[in-house]
Amino acid sequence: MSLRYEELRLDLEKKQGDISEILDVKRNTYSKWENEINDMPVEKANDLANYYHVSFDYMLGLTNKKVLISNKLNINWNLFKDRLVDIRKKNKLSQNDLSAKLGFAQTTYSHYELGDRKPTTLKVLVIAQFFNISVDYLLGR
């Protein structure tokens, strides 16, 4: 798996500064996301996927199938928290067991299920990979 931030940017012949302006962040901030030094907030990653007209799964390297998406997609945080609870229970895992397997603090994971904290892109990716599901599905896009 490899994030495709740089590849997508270069396909459109854009510079990091161009993308940082689109995302309304400093160029250095975007550079750290693209170089995987820092983790991009999910909302900014959603803006980026919409800008490139691709799925989260393609942008994050979960699939090699590039399907262009013409309409803007939004994250449904209520659906996200409901899906987290549902998939955890279907797999007969407690929050403690799952958070240990994911490498998250149990309290952090609990906040995601309660909907009072939003995960970063990397955390969503880890959850999706663990359950072998789509990030787009998990986020309700």
Side-chain angles (χ1 to χ4, degrees), residues 39-85:
D39 190 17
M40 187 181 296
V42 175
E43 292 87 350
K44 294 296 183 182
N46 188 64
D47 292 343
L48 195 58
N50 282 330
Y51 175 75
Y52 291 131
H53 303 286
V54 297
S55 68
F56 253 77
D57 293 337
Y58 181 78
M59 186 173 72
L60 299 179
L62 285 177
T63 182
N64 291 323
K65 187 175 181 181
K66 184 178 182 180
V67 177
L68 294 180
I69 300 170
S70 59
N71 53 330
K72 183 179 174 184
L73 300 175
N74 295 309
I75 298 166
N76 183 328
W77 288 112
N78 286 326
L79 194 53
F80 171 75
K81 68 183 182 106
D82 292 344
R83 286 182 173 163
L84 281 180
V85 173

Side-chain angles (χ1 to χ4, degrees), residues 12-131:
L12 293 181
E13 299 180 2
K14 298 290 184 182
K15 295 180 181 179
Q16 286 184 345
D18 300 326
I19 302 304
S20 67
E21 286 180 24
I22 290 163
L23 297 177
D24 194 27
V25 297
K26 293 180 180 178
R27 192 204 59 78
N28 188 43
T29 299
Y30 176 74
S31 177
K32 288 179 180 179
W33 293 338
E34 186 175 286
N35 291 300
E36 300 181 47
I37 295 167
N38 289 342
D39 190 17
M40 187 181 296
V42 175
E43 292 87 350
K44 294 296 183 182
N46 188 64
D47 292 343
L48 195 58
N50 282 330
Y51 175 75
Y52 291 131
H53 303 286
V54 297
S55 68
F56 253 77
D57 293 337
Y58 181 78
M59 186 173 72
L60 299 179
L62 285 177
T63 182
N64 291 323
K65 187 175 181 181
K66 184 178 182 180
V67 177
L68 294 180
I69 300 170
S70 59
N71 53 330
K72 183 179 174 184
L73 300 175
N74 295 309
I75 298 166
N76 183 328
W77 288 112
N78 286 326
L79 194 53
F80 171 75
K81 68 183 182 106
D82 292 344
R83 286 182 173 163
L84 281 180
V85 173
D86 185 52
I87 196 163
R88 178 179 56 78
K89 287 182 177 179
K90 281 183 181 174
N91 284 273
K92 298 180 172 119
L93 293 166
S94 69
Q95 285 184 354
N96 280 332
D97 292 338
L98 180 57
S99 59
K101 290 177 186 291
L102 297 174
F104 304 169
Q106 185 276 328
T107 53
T108 299
Y109 183 82
S110 174
H111 285 292
Y112 299 158
E113 283 193 4
L114 292 170
D116 58 6
R117 186 178 297 168
K118 295 175 182 173
T120 62
T121 302
L122 180 59
K123 298 257 192 212
V124 173
L125 181 59
V126 168
I127 294 166
Q129 285 182 308
F130 180 81
F131 288 115

